[in-house]
Amino acid sequence: MYFPYLRGKQFDLIAIRELSDNLPKELFCPIIEPVRTNLAPLLKTIKHLNNNNISPVIIVTPQVGDCVGETDYLLDGLAGDDLEYLPCVVIKGGNYQLATETIRKINKPYAVQITDGISAECIDIANNSELNIVDSDFPPGALTRIRNVVLFGDFFQKQKRNADYKLESGFSHLHTTFSNLANAVGFSDYTIVSSEYSESGGPAFVVTIHMSYINKTMFDEMFIRHYSSTDDGTPADPAAKFAEALQKMVADANAINSIFFQSRALDEFRKLHERGHFPGLGHVKKLSIEHHIETVCHYLKSDN
């Protein structure tokens, strides 16, 4: 199963809701890290997922955004409306004492995310949880001692500027190898964003569209194509820059034997191209996230 890890921003949550209407629940379970104290969009998303028979994983000890240190507030806000979700406690850098205190406040099954270091105490906590999201580069001897493992990684090679992206970068092979670990139940990544968090993007001197694909000639490893506009040294006219990047991407998407899975999100990009419409950079990112998740789930479905 694929557990895409998304922050609770507006377009991330919209992407999750839209995807849940079309993807099989056997393949797709989002992990959401709340980053806004206004919980209404998050609660709306959980309800939407529940209506599609999906119970998401919700980080109740967020590490970034406005909800850092607001675990009690989150647990109280999530307590009503009979929401179905799996609360997840983060153990970062081996600080299991804080995680233990939080777990005592949870009166339902829970998940654990272990990142930036692991210890015997972390493993003991993990073996009492329903699901364990762990860094994929942890020592194999540690991974084999944990049950119900979701292998997790930060694979997107983020650049300081959009102008710095080359045409293509490697991403991950976890979708092909996670099942080699007998106790693994799935895998996770940040999709086409990285772990680096910012409230909003800077001025768009260059507009880049990130598009994931499975490279069949490279043993089904995933790569990312980066389609960028020309760097003119100014943030003016993002609509024209988007149109330039989109033209390059659509040309590849429409080619015979295109490398891309023909996702619903890709169809939406085509419609924007046909209309000559710029929906805003947040919407563009949403479509790239959706295409990434659709591509992974299509691979899992085909592989089965």
Side-chain angles (χ1 to χ4, degrees):
M1 178 179 280
Y2 181 38
F3 295 80
Y5 196 114
L6 297 165
R7 266 65 188 257
K9 289 185 175 182
Q10 175 187 3
F11 285 104
D12 300 58
L13 295 177
I14 294 173
I16 292 169
R17 295 197 296 268
E18 292 179 352
L19 287 164
S20 72
D21 291 335
N22 299 296
L23 293 178
K25 59 180 174 52
E26 297 81 11
L27 300 179
F28 163 72
C29 180
I31 301 169
I32 305 173
E33 183 176 18
V35 293
R36 299 281 189 266
T37 52
N38 176 12
L39 298 183
L42 175 64
L43 300 180
K44 176 182 177 180
T45 300
I46 298 173
K47 290 178 184 177
H48 192 99
L49 291 168
N50 290 170
N51 288 337
N52 285 314
N53 298 312
I54 297 172
S55 178
V57 178
I58 307 296
I59 305 294
V60 295
T61 53
Q63 304 298 297
V64 296
D66 299 338
C67 292
V68 174
E70 298 291 343
T71 295
D72 291 344
Y73 173 77
L74 284 173
L75 290 173
D76 289 344
L78 292 165
D81 297 326
D82 296 322
L83 298 176
E84 292 292 333
Y85 72 98
L86 187 65
C88 181
V89 177
V90 178
I91 305 177
K92 188 170 184 179
N95 187 3
Y96 64 90
Q97 295 94 339
L98 182 60
T100 301
E101 293 175 11
T102 302
I103 289 169
R104 291 195 186 105
K105 302 175 182 178
I106 300 173
N107 58 0
K108 60 186 294 183
Y110 61 90
V112 168
Q113 180 184 5
I114 306 174
T115 186
D116 292 344
I118 191 168
S119 64
E121 291 83 0
C122 295
I123 292 173
D124 289 341
I125 293 172
N127 284 324
N128 288 313
S129 67
E130 292 290 309
L131 195 71
N132 296 292
I133 305 153
V134 300
D135 293 354
S136 60
D137 59 357
F138 278 167
L143 294 176
T144 56
R145 293 177 57 191
I146 303 173
R147 67 189 192 96
N148 296 340
V149 167
V150 174
L151 294 172
F152 175 70
D154 178 13
F155 302 118
F156 185 76
Q157 299 178 31
K158 184 176 176 61
Q159 303 299 312
K160 290 184 178 179
R161 307 177 306 155
N162 281 345
D164 295 333
Y165 285 104
K166 297 181 180 179
L167 176 61
E168 183 171 288
S169 61
F171 187 77
S172 171
H173 56 71
L174 267 189
H175 56 286
T176 69
T177 58
F178 79 95
S179 58
N180 293 343
L181 184 67
N183 49 328
V185 297
F187 61 98
S188 178
D189 56 53
Y190 286 105
T191 73
I192 53 86
V193 296
S194 73
S195 61
E196 182 181 319
Y197 178 76
S198 62
E199 289 293 333
S200 60
F205 288 85
V206 171
V207 170
T208 300
I209 302 171
H210 308 290
M211 296 293 289
S212 310
Y213 78 99
I214 304 290
N215 191 329
K216 298 183 184 302
T217 66
M218 293 293 289
F219 311 103
D220 289 342
E221 187 167 344
M222 177 168 271
F223 289 79
I224 311 287
R225 283 283 175 96
H226 311 282
Y227 295 95
S228 297
S229 62
T230 303
D231 187 357
D232 62 1
T234 170
D237 203 356
K241 293 175 179 178
F242 169 68
E244 180 187 351
L246 184 61
Q247 173 61 41
K248 296 175 183 178
M249 187 273 284
V250 169
D252 278 359
N254 290 343
I256 297 174
N257 298 322
S258 171
I259 60 176
F260 297 117
F261 168 60
Q262 301 301 304
S263 66
R264 292 173 181 268
L266 183 51
D267 285 341
E268 289 300 315
F269 272 124
R270 287 194 178 99
K271 291 175 183 176
L272 292 173
H273 181 255
E274 291 168 3
R275 292 164 52 201
H277 176 61
F278 174 53
L281 294 176
H283 189 91
V284 173
K285 176 186 172 184
K286 177 189 78 77
L287 290 178
S288 289
I289 289 172
E290 290 180 345
H291 174 75
H292 178 95
I293 295 173
E294 286 186 76
T295 298
V296 173
C297 289
H298 177 261
Y299 174 84
L300 293 177
K301 184 177 180 180
S302 301
D303 193 47
N304 290 333

